């Protein structure tokens, strides 16, 4: 019941406010679950749209078929939703879902996680992470970090795409 919660919180003027349980942003309860709203927030975000301009690189591929990360994320989300729905059905069949939960909620949660899994990755994936870290550690480039606090400099010099994805999601 704690892990599968539809309760959401919003920050307004620095204060954390709970949303009304069961009410949707559009003011009509029941049309979209909180999980569907999460999905829409990711899909309509600029971070998600930017994935369309990042190539999904397969360095040892035997063919020249490449596609962008947006397509990759949508494909992963489709598989994830199906697997999540199956797990949700199994949990429901075993009586392990909270009363307000449905098997499809699990599928929606996994789908959103799959859609968001590459949001914070730079171009060229992990290779891009290494390149950014190394470049910003070079003494000749340190002046570009002037004006940043120690924690901010460290964040750039140890850039990690998954952590950046989490930062992006927490602001959506």
């Amino acid at each position: 019941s704690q892990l599968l919660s539809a309760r959401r919180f919003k920050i307004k003027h620095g204060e954390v406010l709970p949303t009304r349980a069961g009410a949707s942003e559009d003011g009509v309860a029941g049309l979209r679950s909180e999980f569907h709203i999460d999905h829409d927030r990711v899909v309509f975000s600029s971070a998600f749209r930017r994935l369309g301009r990042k190539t999904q690189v397969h360095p040892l591929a035997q063919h020249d078929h490449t596609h962008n990360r947006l397509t990759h994320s949508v494909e992963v989300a489709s598989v994830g939703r199906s697997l999540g729905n199956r797990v949700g059905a199994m949990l429901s069949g075993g009586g392990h879902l909270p009363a307000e939960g449905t098997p499809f909620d699990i599928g929606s949660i996994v789908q959103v996680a799959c859609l968001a899994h590459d949001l914070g990755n730079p171009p060229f994936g992990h290779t891009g992470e290494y390149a950014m870290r190394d470049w910003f550690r070079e003494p000749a480039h340190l002046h570009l970090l002037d004006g940043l606090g120690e924690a901010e400099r460290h964040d750039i010099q140890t850039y990690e795409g998954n952590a950046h994805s989490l930062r992006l999601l927490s602001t959506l």
Side-chain angles (χ1 to χ4, degrees), residues 63-77:
H63 55 78
D64 63 354
H65 173 73
T66 60
H67 58 274
N68 63 41
R69 292 223 183 140
L70 181 66
T71 301
H72 164 72
S73 294
V74 169
E75 291 169 346
V76 170

Side-chain angles (χ1 to χ4, degrees), residues 86-115:
R86 178 71 178 131
V87 169
M90 292 168 64
L91 289 171
S92 180
H96 299 293
L97 282 181
E100 66 276 3
T102 73
F104 302 110
D105 290 340
I106 303 294
S108 293
I109 292 166
V110 173
Q111 180 183 28
V112 172
C114 291
L115 285 174

